[in-house]
Amino acid sequence: MGAEHLPASEFDIEELEQSLVTSDPADAPPLVQLMAPDGSLREDTKYGHYAAHLDGEALRAMYRDMALVRRFDQEATALQRQGQLLLWPPLLGQEAAQIGSGTALQAQDYVFPTYREHGVALTRGLELSKVLRLFRGVSNGGWDPRESNFHLYTLVLAAQSLHAVGYAMGVQRDGDDAVTVAYFGDGASSEGDVHESMVFAASNQSPVVFFCQNNHWAISVPTEVQSRIPLSNRASGYGFPGVRVDGNDVVAVHAVTRWALERARSGKGPVLIEAFTYRMSAHTTADDPTKYRELAEEEKWRERDPLLRLERYLRSTNTAGQDFFDQIAAEADKLAASTRADVLAMEAPDFEDHFANVYAEPHPLIREELEWHRQYQAGFAEETAGQAEGEAR
């Protein structure tokens, strides 16, 4: 993108922060958008500065990440439908929110995801097939969070928001310059854990960014049923800024996240980002969205597809040609094939491994329970042997 597209004009960071804390909760904040659905760029004196470094190479890399994670997501959905995964939570439509925010992070920052942040995992350098170990049922996690500063998926709704604040409070006490990011959805925003985490974060001015992907549907309940005001407006009740950004605009998401991270890193406390996006697929593969939403609504949002938006920009500005898109498509198919091969090669661990992973050190109760299970398993072996002997007679 470069500074020639979004000039780094004069701006007052203090004035910007004050403008984000609305005095009247009924006033909807403006939607931050730097790239329109048709691929054209928009000037922005508040956040343009934070996207000025995005040149053609950076934007092509963002498109690549979004395309790869979408293809991965499609393959994972197919694997679940074929009985190879127990469950799968698709991210279709939310690629820009995840890649835009993930690429704004620094190496020392720590991410606390839900169970749908496959795109953020990619930006943190995580091998995507490891994500599927959990949904294959062969692991309680799938990766070592310390290697990528990307925590294990949290299936307990909103619990990760508390973990993120606790980690951020520890970072404060250690004197580190890391920031934690808590991802959650609009549905999870109704959980008490989110409220409690925001109270603690505000009270301690903790370096944490709350990143809400408002995809409009908490399974079958629309956002407007859960909140009478825009979700980002809730931040003012805790005393910190809330920003509503076009979650299908990867450039705007990246810029707003960079600003929020910089603010938190400098000791000014938490920020709530509401990425206004849309879940174009089912909540999980156990869900049927045709039961509760209209096809016309889905079609309206497909025109705002985050990949299509960035592709329009890249093509219209000659930043990328057909060769580039063909190359990305081929790379995505290769990723899908390797993902499938990895999943089919996954073997269930020995059942005793589950006991070894409960505590870091040996524990007497775990040893007792393991011995009971050994005897229990041995009983099946004796029964099977007895049946075989009877059949032989």
Side-chain angles (χ1 to χ4, degrees):
M1 176 167 296
E4 69 276 15
H5 295 292
L6 288 177
S9 55
E10 294 294 327
F11 66 100
D12 187 335
I13 189 69
E14 296 295 337
E15 181 180 345
L16 169 59
E17 291 171 7
Q18 287 299 319
S19 70
L20 293 172
V21 182
T22 57
S23 57
D24 183 355
D27 293 335
L31 185 70
V32 179
Q33 185 183 85
L34 301 181
M35 182 179 288
D38 64 3
S40 61
L41 294 178
R42 295 181 171 179
E43 296 263 342
D44 186 287
T45 58
K46 291 183 177 180
Y47 296 103
H49 169 78
Y50 294 94
H53 65 291
L54 296 177
D55 56 13
E57 181 179 358
L59 291 174
R60 287 191 297 270
M62 283 182 167
Y63 181 89
R64 172 186 177 273
D65 285 350
M66 288 197 293
L68 290 182
V69 77
R70 176 170 291 191
R71 184 67 183 88
F72 164 79
D73 184 57
Q74 291 170 343
E75 193 65 24
T77 300
L79 285 164
Q80 193 283 328
R81 296 305 191 200
Q82 295 161 7
Q84 300 300 329
L85 300 178
L86 302 172
L87 185 74
W88 182 246
L91 58 59
L92 184 63
Q94 298 179 223
E95 295 88 352
Q98 296 190 15
I99 299 302
S101 59
T103 53
L105 296 165
Q106 294 186 12
Q108 71 272 25
D109 297 333
Y110 200 102
V111 173
F112 288 86
T114 62
Y115 42 76
R116 200 188 304 275
E117 275 67 58
H118 324 313
V120 183
L122 179 63
T123 67
R124 301 304 281 172
L126 192 68
E127 184 181 342
L128 288 180
S129 61
K130 290 185 177 181
V131 171
L132 301 182
R133 293 179 59 82
L134 175 65
F135 299 97
R136 177 77 163 173
V138 302
S139 171
N140 292 329
W143 62 89
D144 185 344
R146 295 167 295 186
E147 295 176 356
S148 56
N149 278 7
F150 184 80
H151 207 64
L152 297 176
Y153 274 1
T154 305
L155 275 70
V156 178
L157 207 61
Q160 72 280 0
S161 60
L162 291 169
H163 305 159
V165 174
Y167 193 100
M169 291 170 63
V171 165
Q172 282 180 298
R173 287 154 177 75
D174 292 341
D176 295 340
D177 68 343
V179 178
T180 65
V181 182
Y183 286 88
F184 56 93
D186 48 298
S189 72
S190 296
E191 293 288 324
D193 287 2
V194 171
H195 165 73
E196 293 156 9
S197 64
M198 289 186 178
V199 168
F200 269 87
S203 299
N204 291 276
Q205 286 291 84
S206 302
V208 57
V209 173
F210 296 101
F211 195 97
C212 176
Q213 292 179 83
N214 180 358
N215 63 21
H216 284 66
W217 289 96
I219 306 184
S220 59
V221 179
T223 307
E224 58 267 23
V225 172
Q226 300 182 83
S227 181
R228 301 296 296 272
I229 63 172
L231 296 176
S232 57
N233 280 16
R234 291 181 176 180
S236 62
Y238 301 99
F240 55 81
V243 189
R244 176 180 262 196
V245 62
D246 184 344
N248 288 11
D249 176 357
V250 68
V251 176
V253 172
H254 181 87
V256 168
T257 306
R258 277 194 73 203
W259 167 79
L261 290 167
E262 183 176 302
R263 182 184 190 280
R265 205 182 310 280
S266 64
K268 294 180 179 178
V271 175
L272 169 61
I273 297 174
E274 177 192 359
F276 203 68
T277 183
Y278 191 77
R279 168 167 58 80
M280 294 198 294
S281 57
H283 176 73
T284 70
T285 46
D287 170 46
D288 180 5
T290 65
K291 301 294 185 182
Y292 54 81
R293 70 185 187 193
E294 299 293 332
L295 180 61
E297 177 182 302
E298 296 181 12
E299 290 301 322
K300 180 185 71 173
W301 278 93
R302 289 188 190 282
E303 182 59 25
R304 305 177 189 179
D305 186 320
L307 267 77
L308 180 59
R309 182 179 307 198
L310 184 53
E311 180 180 346
R312 285 169 173 165
Y313 170 80
L314 294 174
R315 288 186 183 275
S316 65
T317 58
N318 294 320
T319 306
Q322 189 57 46
D323 289 347
F324 167 79
F325 294 105
D326 290 343
Q327 177 186 340
I328 296 301
E331 187 177 354
D333 286 341
K334 184 177 180 180
L335 172 64
S338 65
T339 297
R340 175 172 290 272
D342 288 346
V343 167
L344 297 180
M346 291 177 185
E347 296 182 358
D350 188 285
F351 92 102
E352 293 194 9
D353 290 347
H354 296 294
F355 294 86
N357 292 329
V358 176
Y359 293 103
E361 302 294 334
H363 190 283
L365 177 59
I366 298 300
R367 284 198 297 265
E368 178 183 337
E369 292 178 342
L370 174 59
E371 183 57 35
W372 184 92
H373 273 276
R374 284 172 175 164
Q375 296 175 12
Y376 177 72
Q377 292 288 97
F380 285 105
E382 293 171 2
E383 181 179 330
T384 302
Q387 290 176 346
E389 183 179 348
E391 293 173 357
R393 293 175 182 174

